[in-house]
Amino acid sequence: MSLALLYGLAGIALVAMGLYAALAARHVLRRLLGLNVLGSGVFMMLVALASRTTGIATRPDPVPHAMVLTGIVVAVSATALGLALLRRMHAHDGSPRLPEDRDAGSP
Amino acid sequence: MTGSAALVTVLVVPLAGAVAALLAGRRGAVAAGLLTSALGVAAAFVLAGAVLAGGMQRVAVGGWAVPLGIELRADGLAAAMLLMTAVIGAGIAVYAWRYFGAAGHHDPHDLAAGPPGPAGKAAPASTQWLFWPVWLLAWGALNALYLSGDLFNLYVTLELLGLAAVALVALAGAGAAAAALRYLLLTLLGSMLYILGVELLYAAHQTMDLLQLRERLQPGLSVWLAAALMTTGLLVKTAIFPLHFWLPPAHGSAPAPVSAALSALVVKAGFYLLARLWLDLFGALPGAGVVPALLGALGACAVLWGGVQALRQTRLKAMIAYSTVAQLGYLMIALLLASGAGGAAAGAAGGAMHAGRDPGLPPTGGFVGKFALVEAAVRAGAWWAVAVVLAGSLLAAAFLFHALSRAFADAPADKTSAEVPAAPQLAALALALVAVALAAAGEPLRRLLTVGAAT
């Protein structure tokens, strides 16, 4: 198994875990973390598909790397906004969950 | 001014205006916002003129050619969308100028005499001026989205637009934080699904550029998976029927100029991208006709469901939010008709977009666009579409008259009409006149829309 394939498979696993957490969790912090894990998986898959071992080029493709850098910047900004809104909602409503998730006691 | 200079100006003006409005602070933000709106409208007109005269305009950013660099392109559809956005944005700016200007006013659009909704209180006055930088940022993101020629740049502009839109919702105060947070979580999820699809396309074709992809696209499992992921992500962002649930709370709790901007412009960005993908890129795939049919069916459900829900609302803004859900349904029907009939129906899709641009309020009622939609449906022999559009119009008429009857009959004596400043009314009137003028200017607009069309 090549290193790139290992990265790709790990990326797919992270995407699946992150997607599950983003959809199933009720605590907004967990959902934000899930989205970040999902993003990390996407970026790992990008890094994996940048590797080139056959043909004329053996050095990695720089375009996906540039996209990962841009994606990280976007993800950090979005997470910051999400955390700020979560703090604000918690201060106003007294709950870290969205209104539709506030009845039961699961995480 | 050359076409490419106009293209860059259209992009730079709102972003520079956003920075200027932020630096100008509470006192200067309004002036910066209004000046930016005027400049932006002028630049959009110059660009549309250049596209009409000289065809597609292109700028390779930083001098790097595709596929390594990013190319900005303005074809007919992009120029038309830029122009619409600039004109509607100017209307929103004039409206917001008066709306936020009158301190401690009562929201003239809440018809219900009952208690305000969960976030019904107006935004705290100390942060209201932040509307200007955030709105100009959203406008800049919209312009960048229309001009982007590659899939990854589209992702970045979608995220920029999403973050600005969430901030706009959050401006309503702490009570709107939950609605803004729900919107943020869903828009991020939609972006992630979209970028996963982009990644698959890049892995298979080694390019992100839309024009290059169109030439290289090889039908296969990975392309279909990519198309499914990207479409699902965009459906979440566009609030198409089964995935529309986040829209009413987010739009319903926002201040009136914000919900106008969100309904008329922000959600349409996702639709614009869907149209680009399915008319330009994936339309050539064998068997691709199924997907627009599916989207059209979702659109029909959205028209009926949104209409019925709008009828059941007691607050005007909640009603408009559901009417937005219905309007988006019309757009999906237009997408189906455009994909079936090819280039001839591109004008109809454009026409229906104007219908969507009008937030469904009198006096135009989106009549021009709906008429174009029905005309295209009759020509394509899609009688179910005619039936849905007519049923939707009937529902729209029902909820509008419901609201108007309240406005005329239930107005308490102390709520005098003097509470509504003149400028918002003028802005609404001007937008209505623009919608009427579109009927007259249909021909140049149709010509503009055909510039660079794929079919």
Side-chain angles (χ1 to χ4, degrees):
Chain A
M1 187 193 285
S2 75
L3 196 59
L5 188 62
L6 195 64
Y7 266 78
L9 290 176
I12 292 170
L14 284 179
V15 166
M17 285 160 60
L19 194 60
Y20 176 75
L23 290 175
R26 297 181 138 195
H27 196 296
V28 173
L29 189 57
R30 283 174 187 251
R31 297 176 80 167
L32 278 172
L33 289 173
L35 282 169
N36 271 280
V37 171
L38 171 55
S40 304
V42 170
F43 298 149
M44 270 180 85
M45 285 165 73
L46 269 173
V47 170
L49 71 88
S51 92
R52 291 186 290 205
T53 50
T54 54
I56 40 165
T58 49
R59 268 175 281 179
D61 182 358
V63 174
H65 287 182
M67 291 194 287
V68 169
L69 285 177
T70 314
I72 288 172
V73 173
V74 171
V76 167
S77 327
T79 307
L81 182 61
L83 291 176
L85 284 173
L86 174 59
R87 280 178 58 97
R88 197 192 252 201
M89 182 180 78
H90 188 254
H92 184 263
D93 302 356
S95 168
R97 299 176 184 185
L98 292 178
E100 59 268 28
D101 297 333
R102 280 179 196 163
D103 44 352
S106 62
Chain B
M1 201 192 301
T2 63
S4 54
L7 195 156
V8 174
T9 313
V10 162
L11 202 54
V12 168
V13 162
L15 294 176
V19 177
L22 193 62
L23 292 177
R26 197 197 291 196
R27 295 193 179 281
V30 179
L34 291 174
L35 183 66
T36 307
S37 301
L39 287 175
V41 171
F45 267 103
V46 172
L47 180 62
V51 170
L52 204 53
M56 188 192 282
Q57 303 293 323
R58 302 158 169 249
V59 172
V61 178
W64 289 89
V66 169
L68 210 54
I70 295 167
E71 195 174 61
L72 300 175
R73 300 192 193 107
D75 61 0
L77 179 60
M81 295 297 283
L82 287 167
L83 201 55
M84 296 291 150
T85 305
V87 171
I88 308 241
I92 289 169
V94 172
Y95 183 61
W97 168 39
R98 300 302 306 188
Y99 182 92
F100 290 127
H105 68 103
H106 179 81
D107 183 347
H109 286 273
D110 259 333
L111 288 183
K121 287 211 173 67
S126 57
T127 58
Q128 272 179 356
W129 68 274
L130 286 170
F131 167 80
W132 293 101
V134 179
W135 153 242
L136 293 173
L137 182 66
W139 184 18
L142 276 167
N143 287 356
L145 185 125
Y146 300 143
L147 292 171
S148 292
D150 77 299
L151 291 172
F152 190 78
N153 210 34
L154 282 170
Y155 159 74
V156 175
T157 56
L158 267 177
E159 286 288 52
L160 195 57
L161 181 65
L163 294 185
V166 168
L168 278 176
V169 172
L171 277 181
L181 201 50
R182 184 188 300 110
Y183 183 18
L184 177 71
L185 291 171
L186 281 161
T187 195
L188 286 180
L189 193 61
S191 307
M192 283 299 158
L193 294 178
Y194 172 86
I195 194 69
L196 265 175
V198 172
E199 202 173 295
L200 286 174
L201 282 181
Y202 185 83
H205 302 93
Q206 270 75 46
T207 184
M208 296 278 179
D209 186 77
L210 276 170
L211 293 180
Q212 285 192 343
L213 260 180
R214 198 201 292 172
E215 286 162 15
R216 294 187 196 174
L217 201 64
Q218 298 291 333
L221 185 64
S222 77
V223 171
W224 275 107
L225 190 57
L229 284 167
M230 291 164 80
T231 306
T232 310
L234 290 173
L235 287 179
V236 174
K237 280 176 172 287
T238 318
I240 299 300
F241 167 61
L243 304 169
H244 68 282
F245 52 87
W246 59 266
L247 187 142
H251 287 201
S253 59
V258 170
S259 42
L262 294 173
S263 292
L265 299 174
V266 171
V267 283
K268 305 295 186 331
F271 168 75
Y272 168 82
L273 217 52
L274 276 175
R276 281 246 164 214
L277 289 182
W278 285 103
L279 298 182
D280 267 16
L281 187 61
F282 298 132
L285 291 174
V290 179
V291 178
L294 195 67
L295 296 179
L298 289 181
C301 295
V303 167
L304 301 176
W305 177 255
V308 169
Q309 288 295 320
L311 202 51
R312 293 182 52 204
Q313 302 305 313
T314 50
R315 292 193 314 134
L316 186 62
K317 272 196 289 195
M319 197 184 88
I320 293 176
Y322 275 105
S323 119
T324 302
V325 172
Q327 299 278 354
L328 290 164
Y330 289 120
L331 292 179
M332 301 314 280
I333 295 175
L335 179 64
L336 167 61
L337 294 175
S339 77
M353 270 180 205
H354 315 152
R357 304 255 141 196
D358 174 53
L361 290 176
T364 71
F367 173 77
V368 179
K370 270 183 203 156
F371 187 78
L373 192 58
V374 170
E375 198 188 348
V378 170
R379 213 179 291 152
W383 296 105
W384 65 269
V386 177
V388 167
V389 171
L390 293 183
S393 303
L394 218 59
L395 282 169
F399 65 66
L400 277 179
F401 285 127
H402 181 64
L404 286 176
S405 69
R406 289 255 203 130
F408 286 123
D410 293 0
D414 57 326
K415 243 189 188 177
T416 55
S417 59
E419 260 186 88
V420 184
Q425 292 183 325
L426 286 180
L429 184 65
L431 284 181
L433 286 177
V434 167
V436 173
L438 277 175
E443 193 42 43
L445 203 66
R446 257 165 220 246
R447 266 198 299 141
L448 183 63
L449 281 170
T450 54
V451 174
T455 39

